[in-house]
Amino acid sequence: MHRRLHQPHLPPSDSPSSAAAAPSPSSSSDDAKRGKKRGSYNCGRCGLPKKGHSCDSSSTAAAAAAASSTPVSASAAAASSTAASASALVRPSFSSSSSAARPPQPPPFLPRHPISHLRRALSFDDLDVRADEGEDFDEVEPDLDERDQDLVDGDADAGGLPVRCLWEVMRRLPPAELLAAAKVCKGWRDTSRRVWRAAEDLKLRVPARAQLCFVGSVLNKCPELVRLSLRMESDVDATMLACIAFSCPNLESMEISTSSNAVNRITGDELGRFVADKRCLTSLKMEGCSNLGGLVLSSSSLSTLWLADLYSLSKMVLNCPNLREISLEFSRNGNDCTDLIAMVDGLGRSCPWLQNIHIASLRLSHAVVLALTASDLRGLRMLSLVLGSEITDASVAAITSSFSDLELLDLSGSSISDSGIGMICNEFPETLSRLLLALCPNITSSGIQFATAQLPLLELMDCGMTICDANDESLISDEAINQGMEKRPKSNLHLIHQKLIIKHSKLKKLSLWGCSGLDALYLNCPELNDLNLNACKNLLPDRLLIQCPSLENVYASGCEELLIEVIQNQVNNDSIPVENHLPFKRLADGSKRIRVPHFLCQQQFDVDKKQRSRRRPCNVLVE
Amino acid sequence: MSSSPPPSSAAASPSCPKKMIALRSSDGETFEIEEAAALQSKTLENMIDEDCAGTPIPLPNVTGKILAKVVEFCSKHAEPGVDDESLRAWDAEFVNVEQATVFDYILAANFLEIPTLLNLTCNVVADMIRGKTPDEIRKFFNIKSIFSPEEEEEVRRENHWAFE
């Protein structure tokens, strides 16, 4: 399972696409990385924050479609207890739908895999427990004959619904309920068969007992399956791959995630064979990949590849010329001995059309960055190299000189400094909209301010745990310490009494979690939706000014009571401070009288009223 | 000398008058619906396109009682400036009726091809099905099941992962 350092506060709620569960504030950070599974604090279905939110699954089909929660997310959400230990398939930040530990992502840059409007999804949450997750639904045309329109259910008194209508009802049932409905009567059985046969998406939680039998029998019902997502609750090996290969001839997207006690025993050879045989597979996502050993994947159809929990890959060869997106998360136990340089070198040569790269490994270094920049990846738009404390400003120089159009750059956990930020701002002001620099101890508040001033398109900025004393153990979760996160010695003086003044017209999400060195904050961002101030414990209530009328969520867990009160007052204060442009003249007795033209007065009043009614109430979320 | 009265404007908006479409239910009642609201129904949209909306459109499959509610639904959903939350609340209230009426709504939405209403009502019925065993479903919807013993066995085998 992946564990990622992130704000030690709220349990992540998963999202994208899925909804419901107590959101975790931490989901704001690294959301991009996390993806739905990780727990984000935004409901995947409707984009509203998950905290205290129950998603109405009878919302529009489009919303439902976007949000059908995967079993993984649902159970992760339900089980989420602490943010730090949430295990989930980590998704790179460029996943649009992913919920974020980091502030949720703005609309994706990478066009999503086009959703054919024949897509139907069935989602198993739990076969034994009544599932209450909705499915997604797009416009679907059932293959019914004309006469079925008039045909009422074969048995008498079946509620009088014609087959077409019954079909519409049944396709909205989760798989467990669908199986139950099939037993009601003949007509319902026939309709349920049709619904199964039409299914193109399936999300299954595979319980430990008789898993192969179960998966096989379910897959037999839906031969048209295009997208399959399995959450394994016990060990999985190549026999499952064989079962899938046999049952799903049209499979385009496959995802295997593992719950905490399930071991993924699939080897690199077996995976390679599977991929080579599946000629239409475009997306492969798998976690728990510690037993791969060596991996050679050859596929001309594969365009998305996410592998998590990689450990000591002896070799990694990707003969996938159409690969667009790759995410490789390596084990964090420190013993990983994968040759990253050779791997990245090969990647650059065999996948020239890569657009999104995400690599998370403690062993990322400047040499790896050099290998990457040496390749001719002209289409690169999103680059995320995290956890590499040996990534330096020199690496930033290499990145800025090789790639000119980055839209997302994530160098969290690196050693870059303010001059690295300077280089980034110099090179990417016209394209960069997401900058993530969490856990970069060498960055200061001036660097952050510089970035917000110099990057006009910036929509997301994550500076979690930057302006703080990295040796302050109360901020770092236990897991981080256990995983051997290096505590870099720093002089403390410039880590306290820091202030930030940020004025930005486009910024939507800002994360300053764990910035305990911050004591003053002024924000003037008209588009800001999400603000994360978790664990900003030294922020002074009288040195905080938030002028962000679009703010929807403020996360303030771990902050002083007084500060939380001040935040609440400021964000929900109806009277927006309007700058006084009214002319005044000095009168003979020395006093100033303001001459207010009548129309101007009226206008201001209207503006105030409009703003008040337009603005949604802002949630201040603590724990 | 008299000044001619200003021409009465038929519409609230200055641009064009709101066109009303007339619908006739199966039991002879006539209802008027704004064009914008009528366009929620693909069936009506086609008819309007083909310009046969001059006389009241006969809808033999929908009774007056249901048609009135459908007109209400479409009008509400065609209103500009309603925010999502209050619309959802309104929808929830709209379907807070007895089961037979919900079925009637489904039939009307299916016939008139109104995707929003169909989705709303089908979800309601799906919710009614959720969490029930096959027996309970039969009781709830008053369905008589006629399976032969062999069929019963077959169905049980096919779907045996549920409620084992």
Side-chain angles (χ1 to χ4, degrees):
Chain A
M1 299 302 109
H2 279 278
R3 279 164 182 217
R4 189 178 162 115
L5 286 176
H6 56 237
Q7 306 161 34
H9 53 276
L10 318 170
S13 55
D14 185 342
S15 88
S17 343
S18 35
S24 58
S26 61
S27 58
S28 58
S29 62
D30 198 31
D31 195 354
K33 304 269 172 108
R34 296 303 136 116
K36 304 193 195 184
K37 308 252 176 101
R38 193 44 172 174
S40 51
Y41 54 79
N42 268 10
C43 165
R45 251 179 255 234
C46 54
L48 296 178
K50 278 199 189 164
K51 181 100 176 176
H53 160 79
S54 57
C55 197
D56 184 356
S57 63
S58 66
S59 51
T60 64
S68 107
S69 48
T70 68
V72 174
S73 57
S75 42
S80 66
S81 42
T82 57
S85 56
S87 64
L89 186 62
V90 175
R91 291 200 188 175
S93 36
F94 41 73
S95 160
S96 55
S97 57
S98 60
S99 53
R102 300 242 183 96
Q105 299 297 316
F109 289 94
L110 183 67
R112 278 210 265 184
H113 184 79
I115 299 175
S116 121
H117 58 231
L118 295 181
R119 183 172 74 122
R120 300 106 174 167
L122 298 175
S123 183
F124 276 94
D125 282 304
D126 186 326
L127 280 199
D128 302 319
V129 171
R130 275 114 201 232
D132 54 5
E133 296 291 332
E135 305 176 34
D136 3 345
F137 286 108
D138 297 329
E139 273 301 308
V140 171
E141 292 301 317
D143 55 345
L144 299 171
D145 303 333
E146 269 307 310
R147 61 181 172 83
D148 289 339
Q149 284 286 341
D150 309 316
L151 194 71
V152 177
D153 191 278
D155 299 314
D157 287 325
L161 275 186
V163 173
R164 165 77 203 249
C165 294
L166 186 60
W167 192 91
E168 289 287 343
V169 170
M170 288 183 103
R171 64 186 262 245
R172 286 165 168 80
L173 289 172
E177 315 293 342
L178 196 54
L179 293 174
K183 297 184 187 174
V184 169
C185 64
K186 265 198 209 139
W188 282 46
R189 179 198 62 186
D190 292 340
T191 310
S192 87
R193 273 193 192 141
R194 279 204 179 97
V195 175
W196 276 110
R197 260 189 274 125
E200 288 190 353
D201 272 63
L202 181 62
K203 293 174 181 100
L204 240 92
R205 199 185 71 137
V206 183
R209 54 181 173 91
Q211 44 157 266
L212 214 54
C213 203
F214 162 61
V215 174
S217 85
V218 171
L219 291 182
N220 275 339
K221 288 169 147 1
C222 27
E224 299 299 315
L225 207 62
V226 170
R227 281 167 289 267
L228 174 65
S229 167
L230 296 177
R231 175 153 175 83
M232 308 299 307
E233 298 199 333
S234 59
D235 296 0
V236 60
D237 60 18
T239 53
M240 182 61 75
L241 284 186
C243 176
I244 297 170
F246 176 73
S247 317
C248 309
N250 301 327
L251 200 65
E252 287 178 21
S253 158
M254 187 175 84
E255 184 174 331
I256 293 180
S257 60
T258 48
S259 64
S260 45
N261 40 11
V263 175
N264 184 339
R265 299 190 189 282
I266 297 174
T267 66
D269 285 342
E270 290 159 347
L271 189 62
R273 267 198 294 273
F274 177 81
V275 170
D277 287 340
K278 283 251 153 271
R279 296 294 169 84
C280 30
L281 195 71
T282 58
S283 164
L284 174 64
K285 300 180 185 177
M286 205 161 80
E287 64 176 25
C289 304
S290 37
N291 291 315
L292 283 184
L295 185 60
V296 177
L297 287 184
S298 302
S299 165
S300 55
S301 54
L302 202 65
S303 74
T304 302
L305 177 66
W306 291 12
L307 298 173
D309 301 311
L310 293 163
Y311 179 72
S312 293
L313 284 180
S314 58
K315 74 173 168 189
M316 164 102 135
V317 175
L318 295 178
N319 296 323
C320 306
N322 284 319
L323 201 65
R324 294 279 187 277
E325 182 171 300
I326 185 163
S327 164
L328 302 169
E329 295 249 346
F330 287 84
S331 154
R332 316 237 178 127
N333 66 12
N335 294 335
D336 173 41
C337 56
T338 311
D339 185 350
L340 288 176
I341 300 173
M343 182 190 86
V344 165
D345 188 51
L347 199 65
R349 270 189 275 119
S350 52
C351 311
W353 302 112
L354 273 174
Q355 290 176 343
N356 303 347
I357 294 179
H358 166 80
I359 303 179
S361 165
L362 292 169
R363 302 182 126 241
L364 278 173
S365 63
H366 180 57
V368 177
V369 176
L370 285 182
L372 183 64
T373 53
S375 58
D376 188 26
L377 294 171
R378 273 187 234 138
L380 199 67
R381 295 286 170 270
M382 304 199 190
L383 179 61
S384 164
L385 300 170
V386 301
L387 300 184
S389 57
E390 290 169 42
I391 290 180
T392 59
D393 287 339
S395 322
V396 177
I399 291 171
T400 54
S401 57
S402 319
F403 308 119
S404 52
D405 295 318
L406 286 187
E407 292 163 4
L408 178 150
L409 183 58
D410 185 349
L411 294 173
S412 298
S414 67
S415 301
I416 75 169
S417 71
D418 290 350
S419 47
I421 295 185
M423 286 189 261
I424 293 168
C425 296
N426 204 22
E427 182 65 30
F428 306 120
E430 283 148 34
T431 52
L432 201 68
S433 68
R434 289 183 256 174
L435 182 59
L436 297 102
L437 299 170
L439 295 151
C440 291
N442 297 333
I443 280 175
T444 69
S445 53
S446 16
I448 296 173
Q449 255 179 230
F450 186 74
T452 56
Q454 298 292 318
L455 296 170
L457 298 180
L458 202 62
E459 289 182 13
L460 181 148
M461 177 103 178
D462 184 355
C463 306
M465 292 216 43
T466 48
I467 310 171
C468 65
D469 184 350
N471 290 327
D472 183 353
E473 291 196 9
S474 66
L475 282 179
I476 305 177
S477 66
D478 284 334
E479 265 112 286
I481 300 171
N482 290 342
Q483 286 165 22
M485 159 157 157
E486 288 173 27
K487 297 199 214 120
R488 301 174 202 128
K490 286 212 62 158
S491 84
N492 295 347
L493 281 180
H494 75 278
L495 293 175
I496 54 175
H497 302 316
Q498 296 295 300
K499 78 167 187 277
L500 268 185
I501 300 174
I502 297 179
K503 283 176 87 152
H504 199 286
S505 59
K506 289 217 166 101
L507 197 63
K508 289 208 172 87
K509 299 195 198 320
L510 175 64
S511 176
L512 296 167
W513 64 272
C515 285
S516 57
L518 207 56
D519 70 356
L521 180 62
Y522 172 56
L523 288 179
N524 183 340
C525 304
E527 296 288 318
L528 196 69
N529 289 333
D530 259 82
L531 174 63
N532 193 329
L533 296 174
N534 284 324
C536 285
K537 46 189 197 180
N538 293 319
L539 199 50
L540 297 172
D542 56 348
R543 298 191 68 197
L544 174 71
L545 184 55
I546 301 176
Q547 288 180 333
C548 308
S550 306
L551 206 52
E552 290 171 17
N553 295 302
V554 178
Y555 299 87
S557 167
C559 294
E560 300 285 332
E561 286 288 332
L562 191 53
L563 182 70
I564 295 172
E565 254 183 66
V566 166
I567 295 173
Q568 268 165 345
N569 288 342
Q570 287 194 10
V571 298
N572 286 316
N573 194 354
D574 270 347
S575 61
I576 301 148
V578 176
E579 286 172 55
N580 195 344
H581 292 298
L582 304 174
F584 67 88
K585 73 174 195 176
R586 205 169 268 288
L587 299 177
D589 62 353
S591 67
K592 285 188 233 177
R593 285 275 165 79
I594 295 175
R595 266 188 314 126
V596 179
H598 183 70
F599 74 89
L600 189 60
C601 183
Q602 186 63 25
Q603 214 174 41
Q604 295 268 324
F605 182 69
D606 285 340
V607 163
D608 278 345
K609 263 176 61 176
K610 257 189 251 163
Q611 281 180 319
R612 236 173 285 151
S613 57
R614 217 189 304 143
R615 207 162 34 136
R616 279 197 193 159
C618 178
N619 302 320
V620 178
L621 301 160
V622 181
E623 299 294 45
Chain B
M1 177 191 100
S2 61
S3 52
S4 52
S8 57
S9 147
S13 71
S15 45
C16 51
K18 291 203 173 123
K19 188 167 165 211
M20 302 298 281
I21 314 282
L23 307 172
R24 178 172 295 132
S25 69
S26 60
D27 42 1
E29 279 186 68
T30 315
F31 298 89
E32 286 218 320
I33 183 174
E34 281 177 19
E35 184 176 8
L39 291 177
Q40 304 247 331
S41 154
K42 292 204 175 54
T43 312
L44 292 181
E45 186 185 348
N46 292 338
M47 290 184 172
I48 294 168
D49 275 347
E50 291 166 24
D51 217 26
C52 37
T55 57
I57 301 175
L59 301 174
N61 292 19
V62 192
T63 62
K65 169 176 164 237
I66 299 299
L67 188 53
K69 295 298 279 178
V70 171
V71 166
E72 193 187 325
F73 180 89
C74 293
S75 305
K76 179 73 182 180
H77 277 247
E79 255 179 46
V82 184
D83 68 291
D84 285 341
E85 276 197 51
S86 55
L87 191 60
R88 269 203 285 270
W90 190 91
D91 282 349
E93 220 10 73
F94 185 82
V95 288
N96 190 11
V97 291
E98 47 176 52
Q99 175 213 313
T101 316
V102 180
F103 273 37
D104 286 334
Y105 288 162
I106 294 182
L107 292 169
N110 181 47
F111 172 67
L112 290 169
E113 291 183 78
I114 307 172
T116 40
L117 183 59
L118 190 64
N119 188 45
L120 176 67
T121 47
C122 286
N123 275 327
V124 167
V125 178
D127 286 340
M128 290 175 186
I129 295 175
R130 264 179 240 225
K132 293 189 167 67
T133 63
D135 247 342
E136 289 166 359
I137 299 175
R138 280 187 219 120
K139 275 205 194 70
F140 187 87
F141 292 104
N142 202 15
I143 298 172
K144 283 207 265 287
S145 160
I146 314 173
F147 276 130
S148 70
E150 298 84 26
E151 284 175 330
E152 183 90 47
E153 175 56 29
E154 187 192 347
V155 159
R156 198 197 65 78
R157 234 182 320 112
E158 255 179 42
N159 298 287
H160 81 293
W161 289 101
F163 296 115
E164 274 283 275

